[in-house]
């Protein structure tokens, strides 16, 4: 703490005037300190409001990211369905290839077209697998972002609690 030492030298009989001057000094100091405390409380209140606004923004971001997560999750399910369907079609084409190639009346162009169809189907299958990997990466990224936002909200709430404690610890003289 900081102490102020005030001395007032007055002659005899002026003690009352000296006491009145010291009391006036204490009153002025008390008023200035009270104004200082009010200003500090107002700054703390503004900080709390700012942090609460940031929390609301983060909560909205979480809602948006959760909606995106649902969309990406739906896309993952859709991709898995497409992969299964494509795999079944590719396996059917490959299974019928032997019978198709044994036909005596088949032209070279028909054989090439059939082989091209199988190749396209397999290419599409690999493209779908890559798309699925991308979707899963996006899902994991969204989960990470959501967790990060939640932890930042928790930190902000702790900061608000600390500010409230700080504000409550301010006392007038």
């Amino acid at each position: 703490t900081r102490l102020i030492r005030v001395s007032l030298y007055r002659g005899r009989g002026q003690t009352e005037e000296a006491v009145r001057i010291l009391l006036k000094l204490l009153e002025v100091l008390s008023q200035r300190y009270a104004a200082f405390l009010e200003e500090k409380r107002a700054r703390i209140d503004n900080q709390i409001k700012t942090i609460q606004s940031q929390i609301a923004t983060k909560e909205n971001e979480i809602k948006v990211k959760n909606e995106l997560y649902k969309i990406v999750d739906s896309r993952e399910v859709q991709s898995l369905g497409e992969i299964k369907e494509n795999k079944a079609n590719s396996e059917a084409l490959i299974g019928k290839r032997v019978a198709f190639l044994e036909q005596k009346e088949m032209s070279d162009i028909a054989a090439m077209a059939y082989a091209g169809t199988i190749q396209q189907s397999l290419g599409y299958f690999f493209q779908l697998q890559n798309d699925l990997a991308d979707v899963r990466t996006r899902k994991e990224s969204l989960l990470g972002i959501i967790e990060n936002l939640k932890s930042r909200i928790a930190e902000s709430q702790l900061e608000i609690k600390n500010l409230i404690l700080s504000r409550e610890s301010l006392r007038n003289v």
Side-chain angles (χ1 to χ4, degrees):
T1 62
R2 296 181 186 170
L3 295 176
I4 299 175
R5 183 176 180 170
V6 178
S7 299
L8 185 62
Y9 296 105
R10 292 287 180 178
R12 291 182 185 213
Q14 294 180 334
T15 306
E16 284 183 30
E17 184 181 347
V19 169
R20 189 178 52 76
I21 291 171
L22 287 175
L23 288 175
K24 183 64 175 172
L25 176 62
L26 285 174
E27 180 183 330
V28 169
L29 288 174
S30 177
Q31 288 172 351
R32 286 188 180 176
Y33 185 67
F36 167 78
L37 289 179
E38 273 309 306
E39 183 181 310
K40 190 158 184 158
R41 283 187 190 110
R43 278 195 313 258
I44 289 172
D45 288 340
N46 285 338
Q47 285 178 306
I48 290 171
K49 287 177 185 175
T50 300
I51 293 169
Q52 287 172 334
S53 173
Q54 292 169 349
I55 287 173
T57 300
K58 290 171 190 167
E59 287 171 342
N60 286 336
E61 282 184 60
I62 287 174
K63 288 178 186 175
V64 169
K65 298 300 180 191
N66 279 329
E67 289 303 315
L68 277 172
Y69 183 84
K70 289 177 187 175
I71 291 168
V72 171
D73 190 51
S74 171
R75 178 62 188 132
E76 179 183 28
V77 170
Q78 182 183 3
S79 291
L80 284 170
E82 289 176 8
I83 287 172
K84 288 177 185 175
E85 183 180 321
N86 181 270
K87 185 176 180 182
N89 288 341
S90 294
E91 288 173 351
L93 283 172
I94 291 170
K96 293 178 183 177
R97 183 187 81 194
V98 173
F100 183 76
L101 293 175
E102 288 177 354
Q103 292 178 0
K104 304 238 185 237
E105 299 173 6
M106 180 181 53
S107 68
D108 289 340
I109 294 175
M112 286 176 46
Y114 195 80
T117 302
I118 292 173
Q119 241 179 352
Q120 284 179 338
S121 181
L122 290 174
Y124 184 60
F125 175 77
F126 293 124
Q127 179 187 346
L128 288 173
Q129 283 186 322
N130 288 337
D131 290 346
L132 179 62
D134 290 344
V135 166
R136 288 181 173 162
T137 301
R138 276 189 274 161
K139 268 180 68 172
E140 290 302 314
S141 173
L142 286 170
L143 284 176
I145 291 169
I146 290 169
E147 288 305 312
N148 183 299
L149 287 169
K150 286 179 181 178
S151 102
R152 288 172 46 199
I153 286 173
E155 289 171 4
S156 294
Q157 289 170 335
L158 182 61
E159 189 176 350
I160 287 175
K161 287 179 184 178
N162 288 336
L163 286 169
I164 289 171
L165 288 173
S166 173
R167 181 183 65 200
E168 290 174 354
S169 70
L170 299 175
R171 301 275 184 243
N172 285 341
V173 178

